Structures are given as structure tokens and as C-alpha cells.
Amino acid sequence: MIPYTVNIKLAARTLTGTLNLQNKTAVDWGWQGLIAQGCHSSILIIDPNTAQTIQVLEKHKANVVKVKWSRENYYHNLSSPYCLRLASGDASGKIIVWDVVSGTAHCEIQEHSKPIQDLEWLWNQDASRDLLLAVHPPNYIVLWNGDTGTKLWKKSYAENILSFSFDPFDPTNMALLTSEGIVFITDFTHSKPPSSAGKKVYIASPHASPAHTKPAPAAAPAPTGAKKALNKVKVLITNEKPTAEAVTLNDCLQLSYLPSKRNHMLLLYPREILILDLELSQTVGVVAIERSGVPFIQVIPCAQRDALYCLHENGCITLRVCRSTTAQEEAAADPEQSSHELIYDLRSQCDAIRVTKTVRPYRMVICPINENNAALMVSDGRAMLWELKAHAGRATGNPSSSLSPLYSPVSFCGALLGPNQKRIHDLCLNSMIGQTLISGEALPPSSNQQEVQLKFLLTGLLSGLPLPPFAIRMCPPLTTKNINHYQPLLAVGTSNGSVLVYNLTSGLLHKELSVHSCEVRGIEWVSLTSFLSFATSAPNNMGLVRNELQHIDLPTGRCFAFRGERGNDEPPIEMIKVSHLKQYLVVVFRDKPLELWDIRTGTLLREMAKNFPTVTALEWSPSHNLKSLKKKQMAAREAMARQTVSDTEQSAVESSVISLLQDAESKSETSQAISAREHFVFTDTDGQVYHITVEGNTVKDGARIPPDGSMGSIACIAWKGDTLVLGDVDGNLNFWDLKARLSRGIPTHRGWVKKIRFAPGKGNQKLLVMYTDGAEVWDTKEVQMVSSMRIGRNVNYRILDIDWCTSDKVVLASDDGCIRVLEMAMKSASYRMDEQDLTDPVWCPYLLVPRAALTLKAFLQLQPWSGTFTMDITQVDYNEKDEIKGLIQEQLNSLSNDMKSVLQDPELSLLQRCLLVSRLFGDESDLHFWTVASHYLQSFAQARQLTASTAEGQARNEGAQPSAQNHLDICHDVLCESSYFQKFQLDRVHLQEVKRSSYEHTKKCADQLLLLGQTDRAVQLLLETSADNPSYYCDSLKACLVTTITSSGPSQSTIKLVATNMIANGKLAEGVQLLCLIDKAADACRYLQTYGEWNRAAWLAKVRLTPAESSDVLKRWAEHLCSPQVNHKSKAILVLLSLGCFYKVGEMLHSMRQFDRAALFIEACLKCGVMEANDSSNKLIEAAFLDYARLLRSLGLREGAALWASRAGSAGEQLMEELFQGEGGVPEAILGKEELELSLESSE
């Protein structure tokens, strides 16, 4: 006999349900493209593209309150690979850093025992990416090393900290939202705790002003909510503690810096969003909700465009986009709505959900890579995945709406579209909406800009289990007979009367059937595809209920009442038990004799007499007489066949015996339905065991066994083979060996034995026991316990129901709303993601082993392979195990068809390809690098074509400012073109000027205007100072100085002397202002840099200096960023790119060992014509190409390695020989290299 090993591989997994209130904030969408979501004490990992749960992490003992994916803004190679790393904090103060693919905890951190308030991975330096900042209540921030779990520093503050936000443009700035106000920290570093206590500001809530509380007089028309808010919210930030009646910050829900422009912050209140300009500490924009509108819960600002995703209390997500200031000037007829306000127009909204007591929207997250996908987490465990779509055309509904049109950009992946180039329309937010224009800028007169409308589309929905309690039952076990069509289905009865059927190989819902009108109490399968379930309604005052017993057929969904008309006003059903051959059914009632039914015909065989003993436990015996019956049946068949032959003419005797037998079989089944004899045992209230035999429709009473004195009232019975086990209400188990006629009692001291079940599989004598406080697995052969779980000791949930799902795995339903499939040891464990059987393939390169992920990236970046575009890795020369090849191919297959066709489009340039691949991989550092690189390579190439007539030296190239028709988005801050940056800053000062409301603000505005060179406007502001102001005299003199500054040389030298003295005596800002007045801004920048004000110097250089001078200042800054104490080389590279120092960038990339980036970048430079292969540059070019070839060889991509080695000079030839030694020279594919290059160039 073959050993019994057939067991469909079921992974241990958790089916999750509703969320706990503490899980509200525990959700995060990472650059890796996956969503992490806390559910009670476990964490789900969701793939938003296919809406599947691909991992559940279990190790926390308390509810998870925060999850954060690590950032991907570092260069990826074999030593720092693509990996899924997640930090999670729970309500008991424990932080776990996970390796998500293997499902294991990488390290565990514990400081205090209160819930973690906030978590963030630091991303601001190149040295380490393992640093994790956490807020431990009430008032500590602690910096941890998330790799080793060691504490680096800890700092306490005066108030309770609710959350924090980092300035995305300057990592030394962060803001803490505390219970009383905001604390701004300006000296944050990872090396030591902030030295100062930070600058505290209090926020007088806009509602506290009396104008909001007083009803408006009846005569005057009441201003609308939005306008009223604008009038009142002049100054919000004060340094003094507000008076008692002014409500303090408590109703501020959230604070975040805007990633789309520097020094702006938003504060979220239930009815408005305030946009602050931090240089002025002044509100510059308000998004208010009308009185009838739905309040906000959360807002997420975007980086690619100045836009806000807002979540409202009814689960509606709205997208608001900042209005262009040019468009506002046209609409300035209404003076209230003049252009002096940042206005966010509602551009799109999705459908709301039905909010009830138990169903509320909790949080939304948006995709950080593309910013055009949002996911909404609902308290009932649903995750709704919305996608933002842009479609061309004007708004149809309301022609008079004052919204200015949104235009779609003309470029794709950072480059202008080719005439017949394929593109993905909704790739990301900045490829859907063009840039917000600023005043003084005309719309580019390109004909092919289209107006677009935005709308949300629901593209995925994940739903969890309903609220507990559950009744669960696994379908009949796998046998050799049903192996071909077996599906491991688990039926889950719920409290609202529906039955959910889950397929446990994939963990997905197979069917949801609405069967009953009240809570399902139990389920029994009668075949692989049909089951019986029963439910009882709440009892009336007589203690009688309505019983529902339904028979459900899964393939058709047909369901009928099994007991016909019976069931109204009778005692409740206690249990139903189906016999082993699925022939008979026993229905046990509370105060009424049991009923015996024939399942096949649906008829009642016997209703027991009134004096029948009360049943406390019952079980069918596994023994029956089916085999002897089969023999009888064969005999009957032969007799039938003989009879048939004698009846017909003799000539037909030759007709096939088989058909006769079939004929006979059908007849014998109709005439003589054979019923096998089956037995069941039950116990009464005294503990006496009865034995009853059922055959056909006869029921016989058998032997009775007197009660065992050591046992209490019997609660359950299990029988398999020759072992019978009884469990009682006092926690005793009694094992009977029927063959040897021995019994053995074991007290477990665990209280009432609720259920006992034998494991499936021949000869498998394991037993699962459920108590009120947990469960145990026993081995009945040895009579000893195998494993145990108990609430409070190793788990924190109560068990509601148990069953076996295979011969070695159990399934438990628990009161935290989850159903867990566990190994027999019953340790909750996460599973390895690569062992999973997913229904839809998931694109996530992070799931591959590090080397394979890098191979996949190179495979996509280096298309075409030997002249052909392919999405089949087997077509390239790649020597690797087939298993890994298969995994890479699965990833390639899971890409969408649009993406595949774009990647195989010969029109796609190298820069666009690199940018697209970095988006696909969610590689933050790659994405920033290629965005800036592709922008400046193209604009310098264009500028070069224009000035082609002049000399072609590199020196000329670096000084010239590029002339681009589209500029880099303002979220890149000082990396933008100077002209655009200048316009943006002027626009901003203009806004600040309108919003100023105190002398402080006016002074700041005047200072800014002087630095920007707007002297006339500055003089007007200086002359506004009132006579009783202490600085009246000073300001008046300053105004005189500014107006007379244009005079002779001697005055210039005096002013310069005064300025340098001021700077030497610590008045840096004033000295810089004076230098700017006499057009010595270059000196001013130098002084700022000497005193460590690097960012301010870069800002000033951008707005005041000529391209050549500003280039010098920024180069010095780049050198400073490269210095070991700052160690921010990645930022330095971006600065050098914006200056057009491409050769230097190539050198730096190569020296930082970023070989693939260096080689591809140099290749792009050569193609754009901004770098030439001459004697000076050849050394770098060849070295970069050679190292890239070596990298490709180490990844196993031999063909690619040969391609790059063939361009790396003499050293490359040597590598070629190593690559192909013993294979008779270089293959033809490589010799065709020249033609390939030509084809590449022509495609460019």
C-alpha cells in the first residue's frame, strides 16, 4: 500500500475580519507598491493592483496602532537589495521590524508600555537607512536603529506629543503636533538629540473668535462658511498661550508639510484645512466646508502637483488642485475672490459609503510613486481601491462654473511625445495634469494640449469576515477517490445568517450565500459540494424558537428547507450530526426527543418517543457494513443481467455485457435501494451510554453501558477506528480502547470540554479538543498532549470554534474576528510569500531574491536584446537556475498589456525607459535621479543645438542656462530653472504681502522684497510703519537709503564696509540685505555659506545672480554636500545635474560604485550630444562601461555584458575573452553590435 502522503499543500494563513478602533491609524502605502494594514494584532499586506492579501504578519500581542514601510531612496545593488521592510508599533509600546517576504521579525524594540503615537523611517542622509524615529507616549521621541534594535537617543518634551511631520525639503526641520500647540524643531540630526526644546507656537482655533459663535443679524445676508473663515482666519499662529476661552489645538486633526512647495504646512480641522506659509507664520489659504458639507477626517498633500486628497466622514475621497494664479486674474471681477489667496478647487470626488454604527471610514492612503491611486480602509475590514482617471473634454454639466480648465501635459516620462509613440495616459499624477501656472506666465501655445476632466474609478475591493461569532466546518477530507476534483472549502456560518465559503488554497472567498434569517449555529457537510446548516431565532417568552435547517448545494446555490414546514415554535436545535456514509442525519433538540432523517430522500425516519432520554452528547460510529452489502449488490446485479438475457431473443446474447450491467445497475438502484447499517452512540444526563443501530428505516436499540463514576456530565464524544473519547463539563477526557476493552480517564483541569474532533486520514489518531479558554491537540494512541494554546498565556483571543482542515493543520475561529489556519503546534505564524498560491499574479520585484530583482531591472532597461524587443527572459543569454528564470518570467507576465507595449515600443528613448523602470520598481532614488537628469539633459541638448554655431568647449556648456519650454516641477525647489524659481518666489511674496496683518509680517515682506530686488515695493512697505512704532525712525532711514542707493562709487564702498561689519558682529541677515542693495549678491551668498546658511545661499543665488555666478555658488554647495560630515552625495548629484556638469556627475556616480546608473547616464549623455567621446572623457566612459559589463556578468546576463564590454576599449576586449572562452570566439549576436547601435540611434 502506498504511504498516505497525498495532502494538498495548504499554507498556514489568517482570514481577517473587522478592524479594531485602535487599528484606525495603522495603514501605509509604501514605495514598494504594497499596502500594509493593521487588523487587531496582525498586519495584512495587500497588493492594490490585484486586490489580494498576499501576507499576514503575526507576532504582536496587542492591537497594531502604526505601520510604516521603509523608504526606497537609496541606490540598490546586491549589498543593499530591493527588500520588503516594514516597521509596526502596537498598543503595548512594542515596535517590530519585519522582513515581510519570509514573514519573520527582523528585530523587536520595547521602550514603554503605552501605544506608539507615530513612526517614521529617516530618509535624509546617505549613511544609514535603518534609522527609525518613534513617539513613545506621553512625551518622548526616540531614535532607534531599526536593523539592530539599539536606541541611539531619546528626548522628552514638555507636552504630550500626538504626531510629527518632517520637512521634505530640509531634513533638519520637523514639527511636533502636541496637545497644546505645535513645536518646531530646527536642529534635528540623527547623530544627537535636538539640543533646544524647539520653538513653541500656539494656535488660536478659528472657531474661538466671537464672530463665529454669534448669530449673524437677520438683516445682513450671512456670509457663506468659506468667506467667513477667510475673514476671520487672519492670524492663527501666536507665540503666547491663548486665553482660556480660546479653544486650543485639541481639535486640530493633523499637521503635515506640503511636499509640493517649500516652507508650507497644512493644518486640518474638521471643517477646514489651513495652508500656512512658515516664513511668515501666516495663513495663506483656507479650504473650508459649507455648513451642510461633510467634515474632513484626513488629508494627504501630493508632491508632484500642488493638490490635496481629502477624506470626509462619509467615506468620500475628494481631490482638490491648487488654482493657477494666472487664471485667477481673469476671475477677479469679484474683489473678495481676488488672486490673493491660495485656492484649492474641487476637481474630482468618489462615491461615499453607507456609514452605520459599525461601518465607518478609517483612513485613506495614496500611492507615493504615482499619486493617482487611493485606498480607503473601512472599519468593517473592507479596503476600497480607487484610481484617478483623466479623460479629455470640457466639463459638460455646468457651463457657468468658474473653474479654469486643467490641461494634460504634452510629455511622457519626462520627454516630449514622439509623433507615433505609445504612452500610458494615467501613469502618474504629473502625467495627467499639467503644471500649475504662476502669474506673469503665458500658457505655452502648443496646439496639442488637451483639456482633461478627472474622475475616480473603483478598481478593487477587498472585504473581510463579518463580525464574530462564527460556526466553522471544513468540507470532507481529501481521499484517493476525490483527489482529481477536490477543493479545500471551509464553510463559515455568521451571526447575520449568511454562510461564507472560503477556498483555503488561495484564502479567497469562494461563495457568499445568504441562507438564514438569524445566527448560524452549526454546519455539517453532506458531500464535497453540499452542506446542511441550522440557525435558531431568539426565544419567545415560552422559551420556544423558530428553527431553520437548510440544505445548500454549492455549485447551483440552490437551498431548501430540509425539515419542510416544521420548525416554528419548538425547542431550539442543539446539534445536527451526519453519519459517516452521509446517509442519515440526527437532529438533537434541547427539550424534545431527537429526530432521525434519511438525507438521500429527505424523509423523516423516526421521531423518538416522549420518554426518550435527554441527549447530552452524540456521535456516529465509523463502522458500517457497506463492504458486505456491495457483495450482495454484485450478486443482485448478476441476477438482473441473467433475467434480462433470458427475456430477450437469443440473437441478442452477443450484445455487450457492459451495457447490460449498466442497465442492470440502474434497475437495481431503483428497485432495491441498498441502505448500509450504521450506528450511533449517545449519552444521557446521568452519563449512561446508549448504542443505536439504523438500517434502512428500521431503528434498533443496542447495548447500554453504565456511567463512569469519575466523569461528570458528558459534553461531547468523538469516535474513530477503535478509539472512543468522551469529554465532560469538568475538563476530564476519557479514552476508550474498544478492541482491548480498556478505558483511561485523564483530568485536564481546563474546565468544560466544548468540542472534540479526530483528524482526517487513515490511521491518524490525533484529536483536537476545544475548551472555553483555548484548545489542545492530543495523540490518542499514546494518550498524551501534543500542543496547547491558552488565552492570556500565548494568545490574546478567545476561541469560538475549531476544526481540522487537513491531516496536520487545524482551523480556529476567534473572537478578534479572524479565522486562522495553523500547524498542529498551534503557534500563530506568518507564511513565506513565495510558498503561496495566488490566483492573480502580482507585480512586485521585491518578492524576488535580490539578484533576480536586479536582473529583472537590467533586462527591462537594456531593451532591445540583440536588436529585438522581448518580454521573454528565456530569449536572452541568461545562465541561471530555471526556477529563478521562471519567477522572473512570472513577474514579466504580470505586467499590464499597456505597460508591456510601451516597454517594447522602439520610440521609447533610453531616458524615458530608465524613468519608467524606476516607477515600476518604486525606486525613489532612481526616480529622482532620472527625473532631474532627463529634464536637464534634454534642455541642455536643446540649448546646445541653438548655440551650435559658437565654440563647442565644455566650459561654454556649463555656464549657459538651458532654454526649456517646460520647466521642472516646483517640488524640486532649488533644482528648478532660475527664471521659473524667481517667478515663483515673487508670486509667493505677493501673496504674503496681501495676507500680512502685523508689523512683524510687514517687516519680513519688506526684507524678502529687498532680497528679490523689488526695491520700489519694499520702500512702500517700509514707509507704512506707524509713528509710535519703536523702529519708525530706523525704517524711514532705511527707505531713504534704498531710494538713493544708485549713487556713486564711494557710497557703495561705505555700504559694503558697514555690511561686512554687521555680518562680523552677528547681524547676518541685515548685512546680506545691504549687500543685495548694492548688487553684491555674490558676496552675500559667500558670507551666507561661510556662516553655514547653505540653503539660504542657494535660494539667493537662484533669485539674484547671473547663471555663471549662481553656478559657482551652487557648485560650492555641492562640494559641501559631498563632505564626509554632511554625506548627502545623492543631493549633490542632483544639484550638479541642474547646473549641467554632466561629466562630473558621471565621475561621481562611477566613484560611488553606482555602475549601472553611471553607464546608462553616460550613454544618455552621448546620445543627447552633451558629452563627446574624446581623449579626456574616454577614460571615464570606458571605465564605466567596463564596470557595468562586469556587473551584468555577475547577474548572469552574458549577452548584455558582452554588449557593454565591446564598447569599453582594450580592457573590455579582455572581459569579452573571459566571457566566451572555450566557446569558439564571440557569437554573431555581438558582432552585429554596430548595426544594433545604428538602429538604436535612428530610433532616438
Side-chain angles (χ1 to χ4, degrees), residues 270-566:
R271 300 203 74 86
E272 57 237 317
I273 302 170
L274 306 179
I275 310 289
L276 310 181
D277 187 320
L278 296 179
E279 281 186 3
L280 254 76
S281 310
Q282 168 71 43
T283 317
V284 289
V286 177
V287 180
I289 292 184
E290 295 293 323
R291 189 166 288 137
S292 58
V294 185
F296 295 113
I297 301 181
Q298 186 200 1
V299 58
I300 299 178
C302 301
Q304 300 173 12
R305 290 284 176 263
D306 190 0
L308 309 173
Y309 278 92
C310 312
L311 173 63
H312 298 259
E313 283 178 5
N314 59 356
C316 173
I317 298 174
T318 57
L319 175 68
R320 294 164 192 270
V321 182
C322 191
R323 186 183 298 182
S324 302
T325 43
T326 42
Q328 286 173 1
E329 283 159 16
E330 301 153 18
D334 174 7
E336 283 268 311
Q337 283 296 64
S338 62
S339 64
H340 313 321
E341 184 69 40
L342 286 179
I343 299 179
Y344 286 84
D345 294 319
L346 178 64
R347 292 292 185 177
S348 177
Q349 64 183 54
C350 72
D351 302 333
I353 60 173
R354 212 172 123 239
V355 178
T356 62
K357 262 205 196 101
T358 52
V359 181
R360 289 207 176 88
Y362 268 179
R363 276 287 178 270
M364 77 171 158
V365 277
I366 62 170
C367 166
I369 314 167
N370 299 328
E371 293 188 336
N372 61 356
N373 288 314
L376 172 67
M377 303 299 162
V378 190
S379 60
D380 61 3
R382 274 181 301 170
M384 305 174 74
L385 302 161
W386 293 95
E387 199 171 313
L388 191 66
K389 293 277 186 202
H391 56 100
R394 297 219 55 153
T396 44
N398 182 2
S400 64
S401 77
S402 62
L403 286 193
S404 52
L406 286 178
Y407 292 100
S408 68
V410 212
S411 58
F412 173 64
C413 274
L416 289 176
L417 273 176
N420 49 2
Q421 185 176 352
K422 298 181 178 141
R423 65 177 284 189
I424 300 171
H425 285 280
D426 301 324
L427 178 66
C428 55
L429 189 64
N430 58 13
S431 73
M432 292 160 66
I433 319 174
Q435 288 159 328
T436 313
L437 299 171
I438 53 182
S439 50
E441 212 188 4
L443 190 74
S446 56
S447 53
N448 49 357
Q449 268 209 330
Q450 277 185 320
E451 271 186 45
V452 287
Q453 300 296 321
L454 301 177
K455 63 171 185 217
F456 280 107
L457 217 72
L458 185 67
T459 54
L461 176 67
L462 254 161
S463 50
L465 291 160
L467 282 164
F470 304 125
I472 58 174
R473 196 73 171 105
M474 191 67 191
C475 71
L478 179 77
T479 61
T480 42
K481 291 197 182 73
N482 64 23
I483 188 159
N484 293 326
H485 52 264
Y486 183 76
Q487 279 184 305
L489 300 177
L490 175 75
V492 181
T494 64
S495 50
N496 62 2
S498 57
V499 177
L500 311 176
V501 182
Y502 280 88
N503 184 332
L504 290 185
T505 15
S506 63
L508 294 177
L509 185 63
H510 174 67
K511 283 219 168 130
E512 177 170 354
L513 304 154
S514 186
V515 181
H516 298 283
S517 59
C518 42
E519 186 186 322
V520 181
R521 301 278 175 183
I523 298 173
E524 289 288 333
W525 291 77
V526 290
S527 74
L528 279 178
T529 56
S530 56
F531 57 83
L532 292 164
S533 69
F534 74 94
T536 53
S537 67
N540 60 17
N541 47 15
M542 311 267 298
L544 300 179
V545 301
R546 184 182 72 257
N547 283 318
E548 302 176 4
L549 176 62
Q550 296 278 10
H551 179 286
I552 295 100
D553 180 51
L554 263 188
T556 59
R558 179 168 174 266
C559 121
F560 63 90
F562 190 76
R563 295 173 67 227
E565 295 298 307
R566 296 159 174 262

Side-chain angles (χ1 to χ4, degrees), residues 849 851-856 859 865 873-882 884-886 888-889 1192-1200:
V849 293
R851 202 177 123 163
L854 292 167
T855 307
L856 174 60
F859 174 75
W865 289 84
I873 191 103
T874 52
Q875 291 183 12
V876 302
D877 181 358
Y878 172 44
N879 45 351
E880 183 58 85
K881 294 204 246 1
D882 282 348
I884 289 184
K885 255 191 195 170
I888 293 182
Q889 191 55 48
L1192 290 171
R1193 181 177 72 168
S1194 72
L1195 293 176
L1197 290 167
R1198 210 163 52 154
E1199 188 179 333

Side-chain angles (χ1 to χ4, degrees), residues 36 59 172 216 271 281 351 378 444 582 612 758 767-768 773 820 1008 1103 1153:
K59 198 172 179 104
T172 56
R271 300 203 74 86
S281 310
D351 302 333
V378 190
K582 317 289 185 205
F612 196 78
F758 273 104
L767 181 77
L768 182 58
D773 67 344
R820 293 175 169 82
Q1008 284 289 68
V1103 294
R1153 304 187 65 77

Side-chain angles (χ1 to χ4, degrees), residues 1 64 110 145 180 188 239 319 362 369 373 396 419 470 523 608 692 720 722 762 837 1007 1009 1058 1078 1089 1210 1213:
M1 183 185 151
V64 177
Q110 180 94 42
N145 180 327
E180 296 187 349
F188 181 88
N239 291 344
L319 175 68
Y362 268 179
I369 314 167
N373 288 314
T396 44
F470 304 125
I523 298 173
M608 298 303 180
I692 288 186
K720 180 170 183 177
D722 295 321
K762 195 167 181 184
D837 184 18
D1007 293 351
L1009 285 164
V1058 173
I1078 54 172
Q1089 289 186 331
S1210 52
E1213 287 165 18

Side-chain angles (χ1 to χ4, degrees), residues 762-776:
K762 195 167 181 184
N764 183 354
Q765 295 291 71
K766 300 276 188 302
L767 181 77
L768 182 58
V769 187
M770 171 177 150
Y771 307 98
T772 40
D773 67 344
E776 289 176 347

